[in-house]
Amino acid sequence: MSRRILAICDSEPAYAKNLMERICLNKNVQLQVRVFSDAGQLFQFGKKHKIDLLLMEDSYPEEMRRKIPAKNRFLLARELPRRSSEQENVILKYQSAEQILRQLLQTCGELSSGRNTRLFDDGRRQLIGVYSPVHRIGKTKFALELGEELGKEAPALYLNLEEYAGLEYYLPIQEEGHLGDLLYYLKQEQESFGFRLSTMVSQLGGLDYVQPVPVTKDIRAVDPQEWMELLRQIMENSIYKSVILDLGESIQGLYEILRICDTVYTLYIEESGARAKLKQYTDNLQKLGYEDVLEHTVQKVQVCR
């Protein structure tokens, strides 16, 4: 199932933000929502990302609306127009967000012809952990490549839970906020968690990611219950079918997180020191009562060049 992007462009930022929030709160709808008030920024976004659904206010000239590359177009009209383009489906602006969403999805259902255009959640999700007691063997590169591959089929999210992520080497630094901010918002207002998450994600191809916690002291201070609640909220209240966790030793509750993963990829290299570390790690799991982690672990040999 491919990623579906809904772009909303409205001259009233507060209105567009509220509509986005209402859509994001509907956890049964599989849409990634982006909000704009500047048509030029929307045009640039459309050049880099495939817009499946465009909902654009009628205050923008028709010639401008036509320039935005989008598969399905919707006109957010303040009143019913005397005439409308055959390429735009009209939705009245001043009605409830639930009614707008219902009309949007009903029309999309009529336009959809195959399973790859489905907008609704089928419930299947997977939490994937990538962890190794052996360092500097390409773990982050592996996790990102795995996420990009999974993102081709369905929405995927990458989270780096390492003390020193060094993610700027792999990914562009964005201003949307970081994982620490998301944890803070989770404590304050769980009801709008899906909306908060959608405003913080950045994209690498078909993979979404949230910037890691920038201060090492802060990531060490997060207790296991906070991590568990964060992951629960993501799995239950977001569009993501796959969540990839790039894990390090510094986080509290590492073994608990590995336990709840559907699959754990443990990387190693064919070298005596690496094998000794891997053995000590597996021995620790068994001695501490986490032998069940090994039941869903895939040990993978890395070839380091």
Side-chain angles (χ1 to χ4, degrees), residues 215-274:
V215 181
T216 59
K217 181 185 68 172
D218 292 344
I219 195 168
R220 292 175 190 169
V222 180
D223 64 49
Q225 291 74 26
E226 290 180 273
W227 287 126
M228 291 298 181
E229 180 61 19
L230 174 68
L231 296 175
R232 186 186 70 81
Q233 288 285 341
I234 292 174
M235 299 303 288
E236 294 182 2
N237 298 310
S238 77
I239 66 169
Y240 298 108
K241 294 300 185 180
S242 300
V243 178
I244 300 92
L245 305 178
D246 192 349
L247 297 161
E249 288 94 350
S250 59
I251 61 170
Q252 296 189 57
L254 171 63
Y255 287 0
E256 292 292 341
I257 293 173
L258 293 174
R259 171 174 274 168
I260 66 170
C261 289
D262 297 287
T263 304
V264 175
Y265 287 96
T266 297
L267 311 183
Y268 70 98
I269 55 175
E270 291 289 7
E271 187 265 333
S272 56

Side-chain angles (χ1 to χ4, degrees), residues 163-218:
E163 185 176 13
Y164 297 103
L167 212 57
E168 63 271 14
Y169 177 79
Y170 301 95
L171 301 170
I173 298 299
Q174 305 290 347
E175 301 297 328
E176 283 82 357
H178 55 74
L179 197 54
D181 296 327
L182 193 59
L183 286 162
Y184 172 78
Y185 284 125
L186 183 58
K187 293 179 182 178
Q188 303 303 312
E189 42 182 311
Q190 291 190 9
E191 289 186 0
S192 60
F193 176 81
F195 167 68
R196 292 296 184 185
L197 176 60
S198 68
T199 63
M200 289 186 180
V201 296
S202 303
Q203 291 185 317
L204 175 69
L207 177 66
D208 280 6
Y209 64 95
V210 177
Q211 298 288 341
V213 179
V215 181
T216 59
K217 181 185 68 172
D218 292 344

